[in-house]
């Protein structure tokens, strides 16, 4: 499956962005989908994951209550709504697809998008 992330940009502290990830070439509903981020000089970290049906979701503690992951299995897309953005949210955001159990570990994911830059100014 191929993943194409979009929606990043420059926003002020407290602003919002909605990231999207479009999948092609596979059966989208058979994948658990995750969002990860990587800031300069830091390791890639888990942000959120959503199960195949969209019922189960999990969000990392730093983003709980501010970010929401969702998916549309008809359109083959997964979204990350990001509200109340902070400078520490600045990173490249990646979407990923997993054929295995839902996980927070990057190594559990089989396919990765190219990333989209999110920059939050103070």
């Amino acid at each position: 499956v191929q993943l194409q992330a979009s929606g990043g940009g420059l926003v002020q502290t407290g602003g919002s962005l909605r990231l999207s990830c479009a999948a092609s070439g596979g059966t989208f509903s058979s994948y658990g989908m995750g969002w990860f981020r990587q800031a300069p000089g830091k390791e890639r970290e888990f942000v959120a994951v959503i199960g195949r049906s969209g019922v189960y979701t999990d969000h990392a503690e730093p983003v709980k209550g501010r970010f929401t992951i969702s998916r549309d299995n008809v359109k083959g897309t997964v979204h990350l709504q990001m509200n109340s953005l902070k400078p520490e949210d600045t990173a490249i955001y990646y979407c990923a697809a997993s054929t295995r159990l839902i996980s927070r570990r990057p190594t559990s994911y089989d396919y990765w998008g190219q990333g989209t830059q999110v920059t939050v100014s103070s």
Side-chain angles (χ1 to χ4, degrees), residues 62-79:
V63 308
K64 272 185 180 178
R66 300 188 297 123
F67 293 10
T68 303
I69 190 171
S70 62
R71 69 187 294 161
D72 185 332
N73 282 349
V74 174
K75 295 182 179 179
T77 55
V78 61
H79 303 283

Side-chain angles (χ1 to χ4, degrees), residues 41-106:
K42 295 187 177 182
E43 292 186 354
R44 190 168 297 190
E45 66 173 357
F46 166 77
V47 176
V49 63
I50 189 166
R52 295 173 179 83
S53 69
V55 172
Y56 176 84
T57 62
D58 181 27
H59 297 77
E61 286 299 322
V63 308
K64 272 185 180 178
R66 300 188 297 123
F67 293 10
T68 303
I69 190 171
S70 62
R71 69 187 294 161
D72 185 332
N73 282 349
V74 174
K75 295 182 179 179
T77 55
V78 61
H79 303 283
L80 186 69
Q81 178 65 44
M82 304 188 297
N83 298 328
S84 302
L85 282 160
K86 304 176 181 180
E88 51 264 43
D89 294 320
T90 295
I92 299 175
Y93 283 70
Y94 298 90
C95 60
S98 174
T99 60
R100 292 168 256 185
L101 293 176
I102 295 170
S103 173
R104 291 186 169 200
R105 295 181 297 179

Side-chain angles (χ1 to χ4, degrees), residues 21-44:
C21 177
S24 61
T27 305
F28 183 71
S29 60
S30 68
Y31 299 103
M33 298 298 298
W35 284 99
F36 293 79
R37 66 186 181 185
Q38 188 166 17
K42 295 187 177 182
E43 292 186 354
R44 190 168 297 190

